[in-house]
Amino acid sequence: MNHEQTLSHKQVRVFQPEKLSAPRDFFIPEVIQNTANKDDGDKLPLILEIGAGKGKHALSFAAVHSEKHLIAIERTRNKFEAFTKLFNQQLLDNLTPIHADAIAWTVHAIPPDSLASIYLLYPNPEQHNPNQQWLNMPFFEFLLSRLQVGGEVILATNIESYMDNAEQQALSIWQLPNRRHKVLSDSQRTHFEVKYLARGETCWQLTMTKPEGYKTRFDNWFAEEDSVNDKK
């Protein structure tokens, strides 16, 4: 069977998750291990935030949405330390901060079809290296394989050209239903958002939805258990 013909998108470059080692001090949070039990009616919807910074959005989201569990990943050490300092003061049971590279961690920790939504709030625009923009990366296909049907990817940026490209890629390459709108001027989800809006800049949000029957090359792909266990 020609596997390419079953795909729901037009991305040609193929992500290679098998080449990524698990991050240092890697572990899989219990909340993710519990997602394997599909019959658990008490299981909270799982949300992923990539690039959580100092945790402003993650902390406020978890405080407001007690019915959801947020996993918030930040790679930069000083930002993560500021995040965990605030987290330790609030001790939210439905928030799990993770200090790691988001791509490697997601590959080894997140099962297919397990995320209700994914937040990409004000990522590095990578203006000098557009191949590293999220919707230009082959990894985005893997990320979609981890999203549940009907789940959403929420991308926000203050750079219009970044949003223009993301919207175009969502439609032409990833074949995702989406909606784009301006962020309200009083929104305060992240420190970047507060700063940009205070300067009078326009911020945009693109919300992409995974439709029924969406197929990727990684819908049944799991990380090798040995590579995970070696890091424990």
Side-chain angles (χ1 to χ4, degrees):
M1 181 180 72
N2 186 345
H3 189 64
E4 299 292 334
Q5 292 181 350
T6 69
L7 301 180
S8 299
H9 60 80
K10 298 182 180 180
Q11 171 65 282
V12 175
R13 291 190 299 152
V14 181
F15 180 61
Q16 296 178 301
E18 68 279 1
K19 294 188 175 182
L20 288 180
S21 299
R24 181 178 299 176
D25 301 323
F26 176 76
F27 71 98
I28 298 179
E30 184 177 354
V31 66
I32 294 179
Q33 297 178 31
N34 291 340
T35 62
N37 186 357
K38 297 291 186 179
D39 297 326
D40 184 0
D42 297 328
K43 188 166 81 277
L44 299 181
L46 197 60
I47 315 298
L48 179 67
E49 179 177 0
I50 295 178
K54 297 179 181 180
K56 181 174 175 60
H57 173 260
L59 291 162
S60 60
F61 182 95
V64 172
H65 297 284
S66 59
E67 79 286 2
K68 299 178 181 180
H69 193 106
L70 174 62
I71 296 174
I73 307 177
E74 175 53 44
R75 180 176 60 182
T76 307
R77 179 172 295 278
N78 64 340
K79 290 182 179 179
F80 184 76
E81 289 176 349
F83 179 9
T84 53
K85 182 178 180 179
L86 293 171
F87 171 72
N88 289 333
Q89 293 172 2
Q90 298 187 37
L91 296 177
L92 295 160
D93 292 338
N94 63 328
L95 174 59
T96 303
I98 297 291
H99 181 215
D101 174 80
I103 294 178
W105 194 88
T106 299
V107 162
H108 286 274
I110 304 292
D113 187 35
S114 60
L115 298 174
S117 56
I118 301 167
Y119 283 88
L120 305 168
L121 301 179
Y122 302 94
N124 186 332
E126 302 286 359
Q127 291 175 297
H128 300 294
N129 190 11
N131 284 336
Q132 294 300 308
Q133 295 179 7
W134 284 110
L135 274 81
N136 292 347
M137 296 171 64
F139 170 69
F140 195 72
E141 179 184 1
F142 187 92
L143 201 57
L144 291 174
S145 75
R146 272 48 201 160
L147 192 65
Q148 297 170 349
V149 170
E152 296 180 334
V153 181
I154 298 98
L155 171 70
T157 183
N158 66 318
I159 298 177
E160 188 171 11
S161 60
Y162 189 109
M163 181 55 65
D164 289 343
N165 176 72
E167 184 179 24
Q168 189 272 333
Q169 294 291 88
L171 288 169
S172 64
I173 300 299
W174 300 110
Q175 310 284 293
L176 295 172
N178 65 86
R179 59 188 186 277
R180 172 178 175 172
H181 65 84
K182 292 182 180 180
V183 175
L184 296 176
S185 60
D186 60 351
S187 184
Q188 300 184 30
R189 289 178 295 185
T190 76
H191 293 289
F192 284 123
E193 188 166 81
V194 171
K195 179 176 68 173
Y196 298 146
L197 293 173
R199 295 195 306 217
E201 297 183 21
T202 300
C203 295
W204 287 270
Q205 177 170 308
L206 186 69
T207 302
M208 297 157 274
T209 304
K210 182 177 180 178
E212 184 77 35
Y214 196 90
K215 301 295 183 183
T216 80
R217 285 170 276 231
F218 307 106
D219 294 336
N220 299 304
W221 193 94
F222 292 86
E224 291 291 336
E225 290 186 3
D226 288 344
S227 66
V228 172
N229 293 332
D230 288 344
K231 297 291 181 177
K232 289 185 178 180

